[in-house]
Structures are given as structure tokens and as C-alpha cells.
Amino acid sequence: MKKFSEFVIKNSKLVVFVTLVLTLIFGFFLKDLKINPDIISALPQNDPDVKLFNYIGDEYGGNSLALIAIETDEIFNKNTIKNIADLTDKIKFLDGVSYVTSLTNVLDIKKGIDGIEIGRLIDEYDLPKAEKKLEELKSYVLSKDMYRDKLVSYDSKTTLIICRIDEDFNKIEVAKNLKKLISDIDLKGNHYFGGMPFQMIEMSKIVLNDLKFLIPLILTLIFLSLYLSFRSFRGVFLPLISVSMSTIWVLGTMSIFNVSLTAISNIIPIILIAIGTAYCIHVINIFDEEIKDNTDKKKKSINALGKIGIPVILTAITTAVGFIAFIFGSYLTLIQEFGLFSSLGVLFSLIISITFVPSVLYLLPVKSRLKSMMKSTEKKTGIIIFMDKFGTWVLNNSKLIVVGGVIIAIIGIIGIPRIERKVDMIDYFKKGSEIRNTEELMVKKFGGSIPIQILVKGDIQDPIILNEMKLMGDFLDSQDNVSNAQSVADLIIEMSDVMGEGRMIPDSKEKVTNLWFLLDGEDVLSQLVNDEKTEAIIQATIANADTKKLKDLVKAVDKFIESLDSSVISFSQSGMPLIYQNLDDSIMNSQFQSMVLAIILVFISLVFLLRSFIGGIIGLLPIGFTLLVLFGFMGYFSIPLDIATVLVGSISIGIGIDYSIHFVSRFKLETKKHKNGLNALQKTLETTGRAILINVITVMMGFLVLVLANMIPLQRFGVLIALTMVGSGIGAITILPAVILVTKANFIGEFSRILNKTKNHLNNIKKEKK
């Protein structure tokens, strides 16, 4: 580390110049950084369930459906019907829309003079205007399973316009044009936008708005925190400049490699600003201690960087490990990307903190305090006086601290089984948001919009297969939380009923073929059957994504499929319930794998630092204590594991262990200087303890900013990481020394011996006073 320190200080101007040039280069590419709001694209494309889900979405339009819901006092009103007809007609000719289905152009199967008649529900050239005609239309529509609760709500107050967007067009741009069409028409009542294309627009807004609002806010809060802590120009602005650089570097790298920001990775700047500041704080703190004047400044700067370099490097490595763990075992690629680029950002923050920051500190004159700073730098500040007393209290109450820590940990353990898991992505959005409002309407009026699909393979015109499809549809409808099962079998049954054959599948393929001929060319067929008639889908919707209900549904469907005749037909389950189940399983696997990996790598780092196996175990105690408190808190306050809170465990290990590393590193140095352990502890708390306290406050404030994020999981994430900072910081300056005292662990040379002598000395003083 000494040679590295000498190189940095001796080439300080070059280091500053190169850093600034790299920042300009990375900054240039920021203009090309994109936002990817498509959650579906984050699913692992090599997963067989995801492949099937995407295949069905592409072939039958499920992933490209844009839903427009119109809500009025009465849909069957002449003005409303006319507006729907006008809107449907305009959407037909909109670039990127392959077809549109609404009340005014939907397929209608009814009995005519010469038999069955296939036409439109409403004649677009003769829209109903008279009250009697409208009432007859309403009565007819609500009597038909094809329309009721699928196209028109049971109370006739809400209707859907369903648009399929062509795969060759930009879904977001087409969805924006659809929204503009709606705004240009004077629709009475409320209108809502559902489906993936509209959700992508909303997600883009959320990511962009969070970046615009949260980054300036966190910079302001950290500015105030640094000002109150250092009260010097370099103590305030140097950390802010450094974290801004590391953020530019990592975002520029994402742009260069064409990696877009997502609903999760948009918090990378927040994380880097929060934790990157911590590295700078420790570097500035040690330079303030070592360099009091301009005498022999180069030597003192080299010495200061040499002292703090290894602890900062180790803390950065452990933090990066926490993020790297997400690359392995995470189901969503957006979490893998988050882990990769967060760890890269930590590396950039480390490089800047141990090169650029020391170089600037060396080039600047010895720090001059702001006016509000105490006149004498030698005079102890309030925080140092507090740390003096705090150190004495820790030594005198080590057993009490350990017992208290054990009790709190036990309380945390009891709360852990209460933790729930949530994979319902609609629940991730605030109440009142467009996505949430639309989904609540869809659940209330149409039984939900979350798709469940069954892919059927065989001769779809075979009555045996059609009957099996009908059985599957009836089974889905019988399940709790499932609605609106439909397939081509339902159309054949409807036609058979109109023909007077009853509501049943015809008994021969010839009869089915004759009925099918009447449907050829209708848009609805392309949503249900392939052109070769060898493949079809059964689709339904579910009302909510409760984890247990989804798992039960997936199991029930699989069991029912096994009971069907597989000799002439095959069924494959797909849709969001299966995807959500895989996501739920991955949340648990990812939580376990990432935490185990993080703990192992952090332990190795501690053993390397302390040169002791026992020391590594004891060094993990504060973060172990924090994790128990953290997960207990989640259980007691009903904070679920989701796509964001699943990140907390490993990040807590990576970031939280930093305090233990800095504390132990400094205490190790101080035990060599002071014969009295109390003096060593007090000096550690005055210096590193002060930096830890500033660090905890700064990072905590940084992460609490996420409470104002637009996505609920990110709000929970911010609260939990802030709790982690407090728990691990306090644990490092209380539980760690207390455990060493109680166990008499000898892992830092004379560490334990000095502490024990100090404790005996304090006991003797007490006896003399008595």
C-alpha cells in the first residue's frame, strides 16, 4: 500500500487530470442512456416457462394488448355508443395497431332467417339511437357470456376497447398515440389504460421522475449532513464531487454497453451517492488527523493514505460482494444487471476515493474551517466528548451490552417466521397511480387482467379435443379467483346453440368444420387458434396475485391436466401464475444464495484483515445482529420479501460490515500505541467512531430518500437499508468491543490483554471509590 500511496501523492496532478478526462468521456455517453420499462423483458429468456409465455404472447397477442376502459353512468347511451364507434374507427387506421375490438365491431353469432348469421353486434352505419333499441341491445349483450364481464361489465357502466399492437412497431409510441386519440375525443365519464404497452409508459415516467426528484434531494441532504459534520469546503464538496463522478462513470458504462435503466437499476445513483460518500468521509477524516499544517505535507499525505487505504479497499470489496451475489441465482435479469453495475459503481467509487480524493487533499492548502467551526482545532468537540464517555460506558457495561444484544436478537428471530412474500407487481405501485387504478377497475368489473393460459396441441377441429378444451375452460372457471375462461370451443358451442343443436360441441368433425368455415377471416380466431389449426389457447384472467393462491392454482391446473386424455392432445400451462411462482421461488433462492455467498466472502476479508479465524467470526457478529433485527422488523411490521426487499440482506452484509472493518482496523493500530486499553478505545471512538457516526447519519439519510420513490418496494428498501446502517453502526461500536471483553478473545495480538488490564484497572478504581 505504501508504494501505491507514494505513486498517487507524487502524481497527484496527473491523477486529477486523468479522473476529470474520464468523467468527461463517460459523461458524453449519458445522452444515449435509455430506460427499459418492460418488466416482461427482464424475465430469464432461457427459462422454458418464460419461453412458452413469450411464444403465446407473440403468436396470440397477449403481450401486445392495449386495453382502454371507458366508465360512464350508462354505456348503452347513444352518445357513448357513438363515441366508441368513432374511437374504434380511428384506432383501426392508427399505425401499429393490427386490430381493435370494441362493442361497436365485435363478432356476433345469432340466428338469422336462413340459419346462423355471423356479423357485428352493432351496425356501424346504423348506430342505435332510440331508447327502446338501446335497451334491447343492453338486454341482449348482458345475456350473452361472450360479452358480459368480458367486453361490458355486469352493471353496464364500463366497457373495454381491446387493441393489438403489431410486434414490428414500438409499443410505447403506439400506446402514446392511443392516449392522444382518447384525449382528442370528448369522452364523458372516466377512462383507464391497461395492458403491457400502457404500463410501459407509466414505468418510464416513474423511472424518469424518480431520477429527476431523488438525486437532487439526496445530494442536498448529504450536503447538509457533511456541512454539519466537517464544516469545511473540502469536507462538504469533495465527497459530493467524487460520488457524482462515480455515478457518471457507471451510468456512462451502462450506456456504452447498451444496458438500459430499469425500475430497479434506477436506484443505482442513489446507492452510489450514499455509500460512495462513506469512503470519502474516512479518507478526509484520516487526512484531517494526520495533516495539521503544511510541514512535511507529502510524507504525511502518503502516510495517511497508507493507513486508510487497506480498510477502505476491504470495505469496498465487501460492499461489492453484497451486490455481486445478485448476479447468481436471481430470476429477473434486471436484478442481475442491478447487482453487476452496482458492484461496478462501488469499484469506481473506491478508485476515485483512494486516488482522486487524496490527490485533491494533497494539492489543497491545509483545511481552513468555515466561520461556524470552532476556533481551536485542538479543542474537543461535543461528538468527541460524547465518544469519550461512550467508550468508558462500553467497557464498564460489556456484559449488559451482550445480554441486551442477545435479547434483541431473540426478539428478531421470533419475528422472522412472520415474513411474507409478495410477487404481485400491481402491489408495487402507489395507490392512486394509473396502473393501480386500472387494475382495481379490471378486478372489480371484469374479474382481473392477470392472464393464465393453456396451450393446446392437436387437431383443434376434432370434437374430442374441443370437448377436452371445454372441460379445461370449465375447470378454470370453477377455481377461486379465476374468471372469463374462453377458447375457440366456446365459439363452436355458441354457434351450435344458435343452430338448434344445443350448447355442446358437435358430434362429428364434419359438423365442426362446417361451423368453422363461417368463422374464417374473423380477427378473433387469430387470438385463439393458429392458421394450421394444430394449436390453440385457452385463456382466463385472475383477480389478484396472492402468493399462496397462485401456487395452489398452478398445482391444481397441473393435476387436472394429468387427468385428461393425453393420447390425442397435449396441454401446457402458461401465464403469470406460473411466472409469479417461479419468481417467488427465486426470491427465496436468491435471498439464501446471495446471503451465504456474501457472508463467506466477507468472512474471508475479515480473516485476511485480522489474521485470525476467530477474529473473522467475531467481526461478523455486529452484522449478524443487524440481520436478525432487520428480518424481525420485516416480520413484525408486515414488510414482505419482494423484488426490491430481497436485495436488502446481501447489501446489508456488504455495507454493514464496513463499520466493523474500520473500527477493528483503527483499534488494532491504537492498541499498539497505547498501553491502556481505555485510551485505545477512546481514541478509536474519537476518530473512526466519529467517522462511523457521520457515515451512519449520511448513508441513512441517503437511503431514507427512497421513501419518496414512486414504487412501493423501493420505499421499503430505503427504510430497511437505513435500519441496517443504524444497527450495524451501533453494533460495531458496542457489541463488537463488548463481545471481545466478555469472551476474552485474543485475535489482535495484545488487544484482549490490554482490554482485560483496563477492565481490571477500572474495577480497582470503583473499589477505591467505595
Side-chain angles (χ1 to χ4, degrees), residues 337-391:
E337 290 173 358
F338 167 80
L340 174 62
F341 287 98
S342 292
S343 60
L344 185 63
V346 170
L347 175 62
F348 288 155
S349 295
L350 168 65
I351 292 171
I352 291 171
S353 296
I354 61 175
T355 57
F356 176 77
V357 173
S359 297
V360 174
L361 289 172
Y362 171 67
L363 294 173
L364 288 175
V366 175
K367 95 176 160 179
S368 57
R369 305 281 185 171
L370 296 176
K371 293 180 181 179
S372 56
M373 187 64 184
M374 290 183 171
K375 292 182 180 179
S376 173
T377 56
E378 300 299 323
K379 184 178 179 180
K380 287 190 175 182
T381 62
I383 192 172
I384 294 177
I385 294 171
F386 169 76
M387 290 299 188
D388 285 346
K389 294 180 179 179
F390 187 77

Side-chain angles (χ1 to χ4, degrees), residues 145-185:
D145 291 339
M146 285 179 61
Y147 310 129
R148 188 182 63 252
D149 295 334
K150 293 182 176 69
L151 197 61
V152 180
S153 63
Y154 62 92
D155 59 4
S156 73
K157 293 184 177 181
T158 310
T159 187
L160 294 177
I161 298 177
I162 304 169
C163 312
R164 179 173 178 177
I165 296 178
D166 195 311
E167 291 294 332
D168 295 330
F169 284 76
N170 185 304
K171 294 177 186 177
I172 294 180
E173 291 304 316
V174 177
K176 285 180 178 178
N177 291 334
L178 284 170
K179 275 193 165 187
K180 187 174 185 305
L181 273 181
I182 299 293
S183 64
D184 291 342
I185 294 179

Side-chain angles (χ1 to χ4, degrees), residues 46-338:
N46 59 343
D47 184 336
D49 293 330
V50 174
K51 285 182 178 179
L52 180 59
F53 179 76
N54 287 335
Y55 171 77
I56 292 174
D58 293 341
E59 289 296 313
Y60 301 101
N63 295 347
S64 306
L65 291 183
L67 309 177
I68 302 167
I70 299 172
E71 185 181 43
T72 67
D73 292 334
E74 177 58 67
I75 290 297
F76 296 96
N77 170 285
K78 65 178 183 180
N79 293 327
T80 304
I81 294 293
K82 185 177 186 311
N83 283 334
I84 294 171
D86 291 343
L87 188 56
T88 302
D89 194 51
K90 289 182 179 180
I91 292 174
K92 282 181 186 176
F93 300 102
L94 189 68
D95 286 342
V97 177
S98 56
Y99 70 74
V100 56
T101 302
S102 75
L103 198 59
T104 58
N105 76 338
V106 67
L107 179 75
D108 185 36
I109 302 171
K110 57 188 175 183
K111 191 170 185 179
I113 299 173
D114 298 322
I116 194 168
E117 185 177 309
I118 306 291
R120 302 299 133 196
L121 177 64
I122 298 174
D123 185 350
E124 62 179 318
Y125 302 106
D126 185 22
L127 299 177
K129 298 182 180 65
E131 288 297 325
K132 184 179 179 181
K133 288 285 186 182
L134 289 166
E135 193 60 36
E136 288 175 355
L137 176 63
K138 174 180 175 179
S139 178
Y140 177 75
V141 168
L142 296 182
S143 70
K144 304 278 279 187
D145 291 339
M146 285 179 61
Y147 310 129
R148 188 182 63 252
D149 295 334
K150 293 182 176 69
L151 197 61
V152 180
S153 63
Y154 62 92
D155 59 4
S156 73
K157 293 184 177 181
T158 310
T159 187
L160 294 177
I161 298 177
I162 304 169
C163 312
R164 179 173 178 177
I165 296 178
D166 195 311
E167 291 294 332
D168 295 330
F169 284 76
N170 185 304
K171 294 177 186 177
I172 294 180
E173 291 304 316
V174 177
K176 285 180 178 178
N177 291 334
L178 284 170
K179 275 193 165 187
K180 187 174 185 305
L181 273 181
I182 299 293
S183 64
D184 291 342
I185 294 179
D186 184 24
L187 283 176
K188 302 297 182 184
N190 301 317
H191 49 271
Y192 303 83
F193 302 98
M196 190 57 65
F198 288 125
Q199 289 180 6
M200 288 166 65
I201 295 177
E202 187 74 1
M203 287 294 296
S204 294
K205 287 181 182 177
I206 286 173
V207 172
L208 197 57
N209 290 341
D210 277 352
L211 288 172
K212 287 180 178 179
F213 176 66
L214 295 179
I215 290 179
L217 182 58
I218 188 176
L219 288 173
T220 302
L221 290 175
I222 288 179
F223 173 87
L224 293 173
S225 176
L226 292 172
Y227 171 76
L228 294 173
S229 302
F230 287 106
R231 297 179 184 266
S232 67
F233 175 84
R234 63 183 184 176
V236 173
F237 290 101
L238 191 53
L240 291 178
I241 292 170
S242 300
V243 295
S244 298
M245 285 179 171
S246 61
T247 302
I248 291 171
W249 285 22
V250 75
L251 294 181
T253 303
M254 291 177 70
S255 179
I256 291 170
F257 287 95
N258 200 29
V259 176
S260 302
L261 282 174
T262 66
I264 296 297
S265 62
N266 75 318
I267 65 170
I268 289 178
I270 311 295
I271 290 174
L272 293 183
I273 291 170
I275 65 178
T277 305
Y279 304 147
C280 296
I281 288 172
H282 286 288
V283 173
I284 293 171
N285 194 60
I286 195 72
F287 268 73
D288 286 352
E289 291 175 42
E290 296 292 324
I291 306 171
K292 304 293 184 183
D293 52 46
N294 288 309
T295 305
D296 206 5
K297 189 178 177 184
K298 180 181 288 188
K299 184 177 180 181
K300 290 178 181 177
S301 298
I302 293 172
N303 185 51
L305 181 55
K307 281 185 178 181
I308 198 63
I310 293 298
V312 169
I313 290 172
L314 284 175
T315 55
I317 289 173
T318 54
T319 301
V321 161
F323 290 114
I324 289 172
F326 296 121
I327 300 174
F328 310 99
S330 294
Y331 185 67
L332 297 176
T333 56
L334 60 82
I335 293 181
Q336 295 173 356
E337 290 173 358
F338 167 80

Side-chain angles (χ1 to χ4, degrees), residues 447-466:
S449 66
I450 300 172
I452 178 171
Q453 300 144 333
I454 309 295
L455 182 66
V456 183
K457 289 189 177 182
D459 182 357
I460 305 303
Q461 292 182 326
D462 188 331
I464 295 175
I465 289 179
L466 288 171

Side-chain angles (χ1 to χ4, degrees), residues 540-558:
T541 57
I542 58 177
N544 65 66
D546 177 80
T547 304
K548 186 177 183 308
K549 287 183 178 179
L550 287 180
K551 288 200 168 189
D552 290 343
L553 176 61
V554 170
K555 287 180 182 177
V557 171
D558 283 341

